[in-house]
Amino acid sequence: MTEQTLSNLLHENRRFEPPAELAAAANVKADAYDAAATDREGFWAAAAERLSWAKKWDRVLDWDNPPFAKWFVGGQLNVAYNCVDRHVEAGHGDRVAIHWVGEPVGDKRDITYRELQDEVSKAANALISLGVGTGDPVAIYMPMIPEAIFTMLACTRIGAPHTVVFGGFSAEALGSRIEDFKAKVVVTSDGGYRRGAPSPLKPAVDEACGIASRAGHSVDKVLVVRRTGQDVAWNDSTDVWWHDVVDAASSEHTPEAFDSEHPLFVMYTSGTTGKPKGILHTTGGYLTQAAYTHWEVFDLKPETDVYWCTADIGWITGHSYIVYGPLANGVTQVLYEGTPDFPERGRWWQVIAENKVTIFYTAPTAIRSFMKQGHEIPDKHDMSSLRILGSVGEPINPEAYVWYRHVIGGDRTPVVDTWWQTETGAIMISPLPGVTAGKPGSAMTPLPGITAEVVTDEGQPVDKGSGGYLVLTSPWPSMLRTIWGDDQRYIDTYWARYRDQGYYFAGDGAKKDEDGDLWVLGRVDDVMNVSGHRLSTTEIESALVSHPKVAEAAVVGANDPDTGQAVVAFVILREEAGDGGENIAKELSDHVRTQIGPIAKPRQIMIVPELPKTRSGKIMRRLLRDVAEKREVGDTTTLADQSIMDLISAGQATSTED
Ligand code: WTA
């Protein structure tokens, strides 16, 4: 929460009213806030009624043993049935579920709900034939191809919890997740297309299975989609081709209903320690809130809208707002495989124009990079079909918001700035497009049925016009249930800080403005947000320290005009490494890349003789951030050795930028 951000907010007084026509026909109107406040459980029960339950719940919420919640207790449902079959039964089998757009121009496939039902059923039967039963964990490491969605839904259809690992993660990161999750089967592809070239995935899976097996967990089967046709190493005892087992499988499969609290998926996310946290989401509450918020926040009209969310299915946004929410609502959506600007910078806008996309959901980091390229490129495409724009993943700067609304939305479209987290499972704080007058840069107010506050260290609500910590003050249906295999870490991370009040600590700083609207300012813990991706400082430090030349490392997130924050590392080398050699920065940067993945690569690595520490040995990241952001170094009086910052600043002269 820098002074500068706060003062910027103070000067922001632009307002955008909801378009009258949209407001008049909105799915959710202003009365929803009061209705939900009067009877919160009744409100969520009504939202759950939008789904199809094989057995209705006996109790909406069991919060007898906080922070362990159970929602729709005793209810039973099947997620794939809700996302697919019931739309076919309702007569929408011919509606396109997915307009898939591959990265190579012209590589396209339209999939109707009826076809989706066949594909998901075949994949479910194939998984069963590979030995996957109810409760057996499945890991998914795939590009943005339809088979990724078929696989996720097939897992839910048979009650096998999945974990999707982002395809940009390294073999090590995948291996540790496979091991932690105890995945029985891994589903992958030979590769995917990235910037016009096939980029391999299967070799990382092979390596990851080796890592998991050395750590004591063996994967039974690896199911491989042929996407690029690249050569792949083949292990006859584990590897099977998708086209052999799935294509041959029957398209008849009867979904079984599972308990509302049956584990649906685990999504790994960075925490403040080196070990990623496996965030567990369960069935009934998650699907209720993902589906309801998608319909509410995007004012979804499934008969006429064409929706597009640009997230990767490897992140929570891809889970809740590509797969589960939208498909539960019977939407027609675009799924795009590639990068935003390949083969030309206008690719996204061309996809919008061609498919007449009406609702578009993306991240501020993408908006900022397009903003840098100017309005001429988007101006060449007819995007008049758009009616609502969404933003997620990091604070959106007011200028980026206004540009997005103006250049992409032609000044017609409300922008919904949606705040939520992997842990919350679904959108929590956001304007409603037919109700709320949007302020650029503000996520505005908690949605109906959600209660949030901005509080002091002591847990007191701050006054209007002040900042503090963002907390959620009552349980919500799609909340995480625990950290996979680690209940204590769940309690300690989210519920210990405001134990007396029973608040969920989100880890974000926020400001409440004079009207009481919320401005989320970013992380207050050791988690960075680089291009909307959560990275832990400790995780990158551990990766650096695992390099033989490194003695100690400290990592900070520095403000960056393009990526929001960027990784800057301060490294002390081991004596025997001397000055590390002239390529040391690249060597260390490549090392982080193989340990975690390209997204974690430091923007800058500074070789320093010492790190600034307090007398108790805690690294003073605030001072390092000053150096990384090229500011005058702040107050150093609590440093054990005050001359260290001079040494570091001197070291800066010899720092290497990668
Ligand atoms: C940040 C992504 C400001 C925040 C859905 C949060 C945001 C973290 C916003 C979660 C927003 C997400 N405004 N900050 N609209 N949306 N964040 O788990 O710091 O990948 O804690 O979930 O992203 O990131 P995650």
Side-chain angles (χ1 to χ4, degrees):
M1 271 184 272
T2 64
E3 291 292 319
Q4 203 194 351
T5 333
L6 283 175
S7 63
N8 277 352
L9 298 183
L10 294 178
H11 300 304
E12 182 55 67
N13 44 30
R14 288 170 284 195
R15 296 284 177 282
F16 298 101
E17 294 292 333
E21 215 177 305
L22 194 156
N27 289 347
V28 177
K29 303 224 167 74
D31 58 355
Y33 292 98
D34 284 343
T38 316
D39 178 10
R40 211 166 47 84
E41 290 187 18
F43 173 85
W44 285 118
E49 296 279 6
R50 297 179 66 252
L51 303 176
S52 173
W53 295 75
K55 177 171 175 286
K56 207 180 154 176
W57 56 89
D58 315 309
R59 191 176 171 192
V60 175
L61 168 66
D62 173 351
W63 190 236
D64 298 345
N65 178 31
F68 298 95
K70 291 187 183 136
W71 280 87
F72 309 112
V73 185
Q76 289 182 354
L77 74 169
N78 184 286
V79 170
Y81 175 79
N82 272 281
C83 291
V84 187
D85 304 54
R86 66 168 177 151
H87 306 313
V88 179
E89 288 171 12
H92 305 308
D94 294 331
R95 182 184 293 168
V96 171
I98 301 169
H99 288 297
W100 179 71
V101 181
E103 195 192 73
V105 176
D107 194 0
K108 287 188 205 171
R109 179 177 175 194
D110 281 350
I111 300 153
T112 64
Y113 274 95
R114 193 186 319 283
E115 288 165 336
L116 187 59
Q117 186 180 28
D118 287 350
E119 298 287 357
V120 172
S121 300
K122 285 197 287 186
N125 284 323
L127 287 175
I128 292 169
S129 76
L130 296 178
V132 181
T134 302
D136 287 340
V138 173
I140 301 173
Y141 184 68
M142 288 173 99
M144 292 286 283
I145 54 178
E147 288 82 355
I149 295 183
F150 304 160
T151 306
M152 290 167 75
L153 290 171
C155 287
T156 70
R157 198 172 182 94
I158 62 175
H162 62 65
T163 190
V164 184
V165 180
F166 174 54
F169 273 127
S170 67
E172 332 288 313
L174 175 61
S176 67
R177 285 158 174 80
I178 289 175
E179 194 275 320
D180 188 74
F181 194 50
K182 306 281 180 273
K184 189 164 181 179
V185 166
V186 181
V187 186
T188 188
S189 70
D190 49 358
Y193 286 95
R194 272 278 168 273
R195 309 204 146 274
S199 138
L201 283 174
K202 172 75 168 41
V205 173
D206 296 342
E207 210 182 317
C209 289
I211 291 167
S213 127
R214 286 192 291 283
H217 172 75
S218 299
V219 166
D220 286 357
K221 292 286 173 200
V222 177
L223 178 58
V224 191
V225 175
R226 185 181 279 153
R227 163 71 185 132
T228 57
Q230 287 161 289
D231 279 342
V232 288
W234 205 253
N235 176 345
D236 285 326
S237 64
T238 51
D239 299 352
V240 279
W241 282 112
W242 178 283
H243 53 256
D244 287 337
V245 294
V246 181
D247 290 358
S250 158
S251 59
E252 296 294 321
H253 178 271
T254 310
E256 187 191 328
F258 297 104
D259 190 87
S260 179
E261 285 299 331
H262 188 73
L264 184 64
F265 66 84
V266 166
M267 174 88 238
Y268 286 88
T269 187
S270 294
T272 53
T273 70
K275 191 175 184 289
K277 300 176 290 202
I279 304 299
L280 172 67
H281 284 290
T282 58
T283 302
Y286 171 81
L287 193 66
T288 294
Q289 196 178 333
Y292 183 77
T293 51
H294 180 253
W295 176 80
E296 166 190 47
V297 172
F298 298 105
D299 188 41
L300 184 81
K301 311 285 194 238
E303 302 77 25
T304 46
D305 275 320
V306 179
Y307 167 82
W308 183 19
C309 167
T310 67
D312 191 281
I313 45 140
W315 307 112
I316 191 70
T317 307
H319 284 54
S320 303
Y321 298 108
I322 294 179
V323 183
Y324 296 114
L327 294 176
N329 289 327
V331 78
T332 295
Q333 71 176 317
V334 169
L335 180 73
Y336 174 55
E337 179 186 30
T339 33
D341 51 358
F342 192 86
E344 43 101 14
R345 288 167 155 193
R347 184 75 195 269
W348 271 13
W349 319 130
Q350 187 198 338
V351 171
I352 290 179
E354 260 172 28
N355 294 282
K356 301 212 169 8
V357 171
T358 58
I359 304 170
F360 182 62
Y361 193 27
T362 194
T365 187
I367 301 166
R368 284 193 300 268
S369 76
F370 287 119
M371 203 170 136
K372 256 197 342 207
Q373 297 167 5
H375 62 86
E376 292 81 4
I377 300 166
D379 282 354
K380 281 191 222 136
H381 301 271
D382 175 9
M383 291 191 276
S384 57
S385 54
L386 287 172
R387 63 179 199 98
I388 291 173
L389 300 176
S391 169
V392 60
E394 44 176 328
I396 179 163
N397 345 36
E399 287 327 306
Y401 176 111
V402 170
W403 186 90
Y404 190 31
R405 195 190 138 89
H406 176 66
V407 177
I408 306 305
D411 282 329
R412 302 174 317 276
T413 56
V415 173
V416 286
D417 175 8
T418 63
W419 179 89
W420 58 294
Q421 307 177 298
T422 303
E423 291 86 343
T424 69
I427 300 172
M428 303 292 283
I429 304 176
S430 168
L432 285 179
V435 178
T436 321
K439 300 177 186 175
S442 170
M444 304 302 290
T445 53
L447 290 173
I450 300 299
T451 55
E453 244 315 336
V454 182
V455 298
T456 62
D457 263 325
E458 292 72 40
Q460 292 304 314
V462 303
D463 294 333
K464 287 181 177 169
S466 306
Y469 301 103
L470 182 62
V471 295
L472 301 168
T473 58
S474 45
W476 63 100
S478 64
M479 64 194 284
L480 76 166
R481 297 304 194 257
T482 189
I483 292 175
W484 190 248
D486 200 344
D487 286 347
Q488 192 56 46
R489 192 174 177 197
Y490 167 64
I491 297 170
D492 294 346
T493 309
Y494 304 106
W495 301 94
R497 183 148 177 168
Y498 293 111
R499 186 186 298 115
D500 296 347
Q501 298 84 352
Y503 294 163
Y504 167 90
F505 173 63
D508 279 326
K511 193 190 130 148
K512 213 194 279 177
D513 71 15
E514 295 299 342
D515 304 322
D517 295 323
L518 303 177
W519 301 70
V520 179
L521 303 172
R523 305 291 307 184
V524 291
D525 51 17
D526 291 339
V527 175
M528 294 170 285
N529 192 327
V530 179
S531 297
H533 302 319
R534 270 165 75 170
L535 296 169
S536 129
T537 52
T538 328
E539 211 176 341
I540 301 177
E541 285 163 5
S542 311
L544 284 164
V545 174
S546 73
H547 189 281
K549 288 184 183 168
V550 175
E552 215 181 324
V555 165
V556 296
N559 286 333
D560 186 280
D562 298 329
T563 57
Q565 283 191 305
V567 178
V568 175
F570 297 81
V571 171
I572 304 178
L573 296 177
R574 291 175 188 234
E575 259 178 57
E576 66 265 25
D579 69 356
E582 61 177 313
N583 288 326
I584 184 70
K586 180 162 189 327
E587 201 177 315
L588 297 181
S589 170
D590 287 347
H591 182 69
V592 173
R593 200 188 164 100
T594 44
Q595 292 288 310
I596 305 176
I599 47 168
K601 216 173 79 124
R603 176 185 77 186
Q604 192 182 10
I605 294 182
M606 298 192 200
I607 307 297
V608 294
E610 257 322 322
L611 289 170
K613 290 185 184 156
T614 59
R615 281 177 192 84
S616 62
K618 201 172 175 333
I619 293 175
M620 292 188 70
R621 290 169 203 281
R622 173 172 61 78
L623 301 179
L624 294 176
R625 223 171 280 128
D626 288 341
V627 175
E629 293 175 354
K630 303 189 169 64
R631 263 195 311 274
E632 199 171 320
V633 174
D635 183 12
T636 59
T637 46
T638 52
L639 273 183
D641 176 352
Q642 301 216 10
S643 62
I644 282 174
M645 286 317 292
D646 298 335
L647 283 174
I648 291 179
S649 300
Q652 208 187 338
T654 59
S655 80
T656 357
E657 239 161 284
D658 188 52

